[in-house]
Amino acid sequence: MKKRSWQRALLTVVSLGLALTLAACGNSSSASKAKSDEPVKISFWNGMNGPYQKALKKIINDFNSSQSKYKVVSTAQGDYTALQQKIMAAAKSDSLPVIAQTTYTTVPDYSKNNLIEPLDNYMLKGSNKLSSADLKDIYPSFLSSSKYQGKYYSIPFSKSVRVLYYNQDILDKYNLKKPTTWQDIAKDGEVLKAHGIYSMGFDKSWDMEFEGLARQAGNPLITTSGKANLDTADTLEAANFIMDMINDKTAKTAGEDFYWTQAFTQGKSAFYSGSSAGVTQMVAQAPKTLNWGTMPLPSYNGKKATEIAGNDIVMFKSASSEQKKGAWAFMKYLMSTKETAKWAQATGYVPLRKSATSTTSFKNYLKKNTYNQAAVDSLDDGFQSNAFLGFSEYRTKLLETVDAMLTKNEPVKKSLTALQTTTEKIIKDNKE
């Protein structure tokens, strides 16, 4: 009797154990299934703030709602400088996000350190690639700057161009016309100088206008092959053209104000070469009585060119294969006609595609925001500096050189010859 009781007790324990084991297996299976049903998280670090962050979150929410496989999670990391510092810190601690906003000029350094994923296998291959029509639709200057050493490493995102702001009241008062060439601006300066008005206003540095003039002379400051052209005859002529206006007091830089926006709204110049992204600030600062407008930059040496600025998005190699697929799906979504038009309307940045400018919503937007038309009209003539290893150091030296000409009266030829030597060394020291 006792033996049978013991056997029954043992059977109960074994049965209970088996039941618990089966239950555990069942729970594990359910948990695994639940986990597999969760969308793949795509972490996205960016430098957007204020209304730009709000607009970005709206697009991200729309993407997340459009499908269930991926979920983009956006994290603002402060301004662009803070963002880049955090990316480099995360690279050291193996805690990089899946994608991040960055300037395209950081791509060579990221590539050298094996941090970013080439995008060719996503952009040009597979079922979710960009079609040939897509590639033709995206403005060429955006695509070309996304390439490094023959491969795509980034996609364009928040882009702006240099445009010419003009004060119509000043033009009317002194019987002047909107300029078609940079030489027209210089000539207008001789008329306006007598009345205490500058013809042209620049931001603190005129490096972007300088590079634009050099490009129009057929002479990029740094070629795609990494050759520096900082002291050639055409480059010196372009720099002297700007410095002659400043020395003649027909043009002025913003100095410590950094941007010429406020001086322009106060009627201190007839023209101002600035970023199209500054239109929002100009609208906010300009008196309602001020009659002003925007237009593409005039030609120089018979050609037109305007430098494009802004940020791209890169994908990091440390992400999983599924995260990379999801990241590309989101990146492609951002470049779609509908979304790039939406982004441009919400922020004042330029659309990435030609087709976006033809959408009904964007056309209506331009009718209400006529100041943004010049940026769109400038895109076919847009260019971006050629990126190379050591670009950040070179750009710092370029800004120092411009400042030396402005504040220390250093001769143009002496300054740019020294910059040529320094840049050649930077390029040589950073050769892979």
Side-chain angles (χ1 to χ4, degrees), residues 25 51 77 117-118 143 154 158 212 228 237 250 281 298 314 332 398 401 432:
C25 289
Q77 299 289 354
E117 182 82 6
L143 280 181
S154 67
S158 48
E237 184 178 339
T250 57
Q281 191 66 21
V314 294
K332 184 180 178 183
L398 171 61
T401 299
E432 289 188 285

Side-chain angles (χ1 to χ4, degrees), residues 83-288:
L83 172 61
Q84 298 313 315
Q85 290 172 345
K86 290 179 180 179
I87 288 175
M88 295 315 297
K92 293 178 182 177
S93 61
D94 294 323
S95 56
L96 285 165
V98 177
I99 54 175
Q101 193 178 10
T102 187
T103 57
Y104 74 97
T105 52
T106 63
V107 163
D109 296 299
Y110 287 172
S111 175
K112 180 182 179 181
N113 289 290
N114 204 33
L115 296 180
I116 53 177
E117 182 82 6
L119 300 177
D120 293 53
N121 286 337
Y122 303 93
M123 288 181 67
L124 309 177
K125 302 174 184 178
S127 59
N128 201 29
K129 68 179 181 180
L130 293 177
S131 67
S132 57
D134 289 329
L135 293 170
K136 289 178 182 178
D137 192 26
I138 298 171
Y139 285 99
S141 57
F142 297 147
L143 280 181
S144 62
S145 66
S146 291
K147 257 187 174 180
Y148 175 63
Q149 294 185 337
K151 294 181 180 179
Y152 288 106
Y153 279 97
S154 67
I155 66 156
F157 179 48
S158 48
K159 297 291 189 178
S160 61
V161 299
R162 306 301 281 183
V163 296
L164 189 71
Y165 295 83
Y166 62 88
N167 184 320
Q168 189 62 50
D169 294 328
I170 291 177
L171 299 185
D172 291 342
K173 184 174 181 178
Y174 298 102
N175 197 29
L176 302 174
K177 297 179 181 179
K178 287 188 285 188
T180 58
T181 69
W182 276 88
Q183 285 78 8
D184 290 339
I185 293 175
K187 289 177 183 177
D188 290 344
E190 296 302 320
V191 175
L192 296 170
K193 182 167 64 172
H195 303 281
I197 301 171
Y198 295 102
S199 178
M200 173 63 83
F202 296 102
D203 289 332
K204 184 176 182 178
S205 178
W206 42 258
D207 61 289
M208 296 183 80
E209 286 69 32
F210 166 46
E211 184 158 10
L213 295 183
R215 285 267 180 161
Q216 286 162 287
N219 190 56
L221 299 185
I222 310 292
T223 69
T224 54
S225 62
K227 180 180 180 297
N229 289 322
L230 294 157
D231 62 350
T232 64
D234 287 335
T235 300
L236 293 173
E237 184 178 339
N240 275 309
F241 182 88
I242 295 174
M243 280 306 301
D244 284 348
M245 286 196 296
I246 291 171
N247 291 332
D248 290 344
K249 299 191 184 308
T250 57
K252 188 173 176 60
T253 62
E256 294 308 310
D257 288 341
F258 206 87
Y259 297 111
W260 186 256
T261 307
Q262 185 173 353
F264 178 79
T265 61
Q266 293 172 347
K268 292 183 178 180
S269 72
F271 309 109
Y272 162 41
S273 178
S275 170
S276 62
V279 164
T280 302
Q281 191 66 21
M282 189 71 76
V283 170
Q285 289 189 17
K288 300 301 180 185

